[in-house]
Amino acid sequence: PTTVRLRALIQDEFGAGEMGLPLQAEEYVLYKLYRKELRIAWPLVRPRTPGTWHEILNTTPGVAVASEPKAGSVMEFLVFDEMGKESWGHIAYIEAVFPDESIQISEANWPDDGRYNERVLVKEEWQALNPFFLIFS
C-alpha cells in the first residue's frame, strides 16, 4: 500500500508500477524530492535509470552535480561486476552529513529488492563508490 501511494504521488514517473516491479531506488529518491517540494524539469531523455541521472540532469536548471555530499542531495553511483564492467547504477537520498564526513543515506531497493533501507557510510566507504552528488534547488 505504501508503494502504491508513493507511485501515485510521483505519477509512476518511471513506469515501475505499470511493469509490476517492486519499489525502485529512483522512485524513492524522487518521492523524497517531492516531499521537499522539489520538482525535476526532466529533459526528454529516456531511460532515467540510476547511474544516468548525473548525465541527464547536468545541464538542467536547478540541478548541480558535485563531488562532495550535502544533506538533502542525492548520491548516485555505479556498481561494477568482477570483470570491472558496469553492471547497474544506484541512487540514494542523503539525510545527513556528519562532522567526520560520514553520511547517512536512505534508499530503496538495496540491499534487497523493493526494500527501504537506511545506513551510514564512513567517508572511505562513500568515496570508494566514486559517487556523483546531485544538488537540487
Side-chain angles (χ1 to χ4, degrees):
T2 302
T3 300
V4 170
R5 287 192 304 272
L6 181 150
R7 287 181 173 151
L9 179 67
I10 67 168
Q11 300 174 2
D12 200 18
E13 174 70 35
F14 304 101
E18 186 178 315
M19 291 184 279
L21 298 174
L23 179 63
Q24 300 296 296
E26 59 270 33
E27 293 178 299
Y28 172 73
V29 166
L30 189 60
Y31 166 78
K32 289 291 285 190
L33 294 173
Y34 270 44
R35 294 283 313 245
K36 294 184 68 129
E37 298 185 9
L38 295 168
R39 301 296 186 266
I40 298 174
W42 289 103
L44 297 177
V45 178
R46 295 274 184 172
R48 298 172 181 159
T49 55
T52 64
W53 283 31
H54 68 281
E55 295 171 345
I56 293 171
L57 298 173
N58 69 354
T59 59
T60 302
V63 182
V65 179
S67 59
E68 294 294 321
K70 178 180 175 186
S73 67
V74 173
M75 180 176 76
E76 179 178 47
F77 60 91
L78 300 170
V79 178
F80 296 88
D81 66 16
E82 58 278 344
M83 302 292 289
K85 184 179 176 193
E86 179 184 320
S87 294
W88 48 277
H90 185 63
I91 200 161
Y93 186 82
I94 300 178
E95 299 288 348
V97 178
F98 300 109
D100 66 356
E101 298 184 76
S102 61
I103 59 175
Q104 179 182 357
I105 61 171
S106 62
E107 61 199 333
N109 214 29
W110 182 289
D112 299 316
D113 287 350
R115 294 272 175 125
Y116 170 81
N117 186 48
E118 288 184 17
R119 56 186 166 143
V120 173
L121 301 173
V122 298
K123 183 178 182 180
E124 294 76 20
E125 288 174 311
W126 65 257
Q127 282 185 327
L129 297 170
N130 295 314
F132 294 95
F133 297 99
L134 295 109
I135 301 169
F136 296 86
S137 58

